[in-house]
Amino acid sequence: MESAPAKMSGAARATPRLDVAFDRRITSHMSAGMTLYVRKLVELLPRIAPDLSFAAIGAGDNFDAAEQLALPLTIARRRPRLVHIPTPFVPLLVPAPFVVTIHDLIDLHFPQFGKRKVGPYYRYAVGPAARRARAVITDDAATAGDLERFLGVDPARIRIVPLGVDLPVAPEPARAGGPPYFLYVGNHRGHKDLTTLVRAWAALPEALEVDLLFTGKDDVGPAMAGLARSRGKLFFTGDVTELELAGLYRGARAYVHPALREGFGLPMLEAMRSGTPVIAAQTALPGVLAPHALAFTAGDWAGLRAQLLRALDEPARFAELGRAAQAATRDLTWEQTARATAAVYRELLG
């Protein structure tokens, strides 16, 4: 069901024609990052761009009648000048000029970690849609290269819009007074390479008491049962609130992101904005964050172990790295993401 225009509308315009119809669907196939991206743009765009008229449209899931029939019919009825599909789940028919957001092509890089049907879907559904789109928005230059390489998207039509964060300020660090800990936030899919992180942590000197915290449920523990420490534990936090997450970031000795690749990697930015130093695989770091993190070669558990040991041995230096990253990334907010997205709309609308 589409929203009334007043729920996502800009200032009154002389022409009755709608400027931008925004697909607001939150579906079962969307990651946490995709969901947050859609919700933040729906919330912020009308305020950020009062010169444009907006309508939030769409309902239902992916690959259903709502996506393939109802959404195109709504677009045809509303006759917007531009449509934004903010996920790769584009209807086969979009009866208006459109923009699509594709955050990453990780499933094409690492098909061994995904379902077999994902690769063909991207090649035969997402690819043609991306090539038809007036513009493709993505988060980082690395994915821009992937869009050309894997899907044949014209680089001239790719627009890079970094993501942002708006985490609450935690009143206190989590686990104050307990042993130091390293933190990982995110899902536990294969390309996150969590085994490399656990192996590096388990190989730290036994004299050091240090924990490792993963958000989410314990769905990787059995595979890592042999990787343990006598002084320190691997904890799974389960689901956490935004405020609890902010406390976890603030209390961590370092945030560690071992993923083989990312589209953007919002937790790395969340950690930086919390003043927490970030250690990450080089291929996972987006360009805007890379200068402010300590990098290691993806999959190199020994190289990561050396960085973890430095974080424990040099707490004052690492705290300063965290403060410097916090200052350097202060402009990477969701409001800035919305402003840059609106600028793409204005460019295409002329």
Side-chain angles (χ1 to χ4, degrees):
M1 180 178 180
E2 67 182 281
S3 69
K7 291 188 178 180
M8 192 178 183
S9 60
R13 296 175 59 85
T15 174
R17 189 169 180 189
L18 183 65
D19 287 322
V20 180
F22 189 96
D23 176 14
R24 66 170 179 195
R25 291 175 300 149
I26 303 297
T27 71
S28 61
H29 291 81
M30 291 167 59
S31 67
M34 283 184 187
T35 298
L36 184 60
Y37 174 77
V38 170
R39 286 178 171 156
K40 286 296 184 181
L41 289 188
V42 169
E43 171 192 343
L44 293 171
L45 279 168
R47 176 171 62 81
I48 293 299
D51 55 311
L52 301 174
S53 58
F54 294 90
I57 63 172
D61 208 341
N62 302 125
F63 321 120
D64 60 6
E67 177 177 271
Q68 298 300 327
L69 295 175
L71 184 57
L73 286 172
T74 297
I75 293 169
R77 180 172 60 83
R78 297 299 300 268
R79 298 178 60 248
R81 299 173 64 202
L82 190 68
V83 176
H84 187 176
I85 309 292
T87 71
F89 305 113
V90 184
L92 292 174
L93 174 65
V94 182
F98 69 96
V99 178
V100 61
T101 297
I102 300 175
H103 295 289
D104 64 73
L105 293 176
I106 288 169
D107 286 305
L108 299 185
H109 268 283
F110 305 105
Q112 67 271 32
F113 298 134
K115 298 179 180 178
R116 294 179 64 182
K117 62 185 178 182
V118 174
Y121 174 72
Y122 268 83
R123 287 188 174 90
Y124 302 117
V126 179
R131 292 190 292 273
R132 292 196 312 271
R134 293 284 307 281
V136 179
I137 293 174
T138 195
D139 310 333
D140 185 61
T143 303
D146 290 345
L147 288 165
E148 182 182 9
R149 171 188 169 191
F150 287 112
L151 301 184
V153 178
D154 181 355
R157 293 190 292 107
I158 298 172
R159 302 292 180 270
I160 297 173
V161 177
L163 303 185
V165 300
D166 295 312
L167 266 184
V169 177
E172 296 292 338
R175 295 164 50 100
Y181 65 90
F182 296 110
L183 176 67
Y184 166 79
V185 174
N187 66 58
H188 304 158
R189 293 180 59 198
H191 76 277
K192 299 294 187 179
D193 197 20
L194 298 181
T195 301
T196 289
L197 171 52
V198 176
R199 190 175 181 187
W201 165 77
L204 290 169
E206 285 296 332
L208 299 175
E209 184 178 9
V210 55
D211 293 335
L212 179 59
L213 271 64
F214 288 173
T215 57
K217 62 182 180 180
D218 181 358
D219 55 4
V220 298
M224 303 179 188
L227 301 173
R229 296 179 53 77
S230 59
R231 301 193 68 199
K233 294 182 180 179
L234 172 59
F235 289 97
F236 293 84
T237 67
D239 294 334
V240 294
T241 66
E242 277 196 349
L243 191 59
E244 289 169 336
L245 180 60
L248 288 171
Y249 281 127
R250 189 175 171 194
R253 183 60 59 91
Y255 174 76
V256 188
H257 205 81
L260 302 175
R261 197 171 186 89
E262 288 290 0
F264 190 82
L266 273 175
M268 292 186 281
L269 177 56
E270 290 174 341
M272 289 181 181
R273 294 298 303 128
S274 301
T276 300
V278 171
I279 302 170
Q282 191 168 17
T283 49
L285 282 162
V288 293
L289 301 186
H292 316 300
L294 292 171
F296 66 95
T297 302
D300 178 11
W301 69 267
L304 174 54
R305 175 188 178 276
Q307 297 282 28
L308 299 182
L309 194 56
R310 289 176 62 196
L312 295 169
D313 288 346
E314 306 171 30
R317 178 175 180 271
F318 265 67
E320 178 54 36
L321 288 173
R323 288 190 291 271
Q326 184 179 42
T329 57
R330 62 182 178 272
D331 293 331
L332 291 174
T333 64
W334 282 116
E335 183 170 306
Q336 181 57 33
T337 301
R339 289 187 187 281
T341 302
V344 175
Y345 300 159
R346 294 189 189 98
E347 174 195 355
L348 297 178
L349 292 171

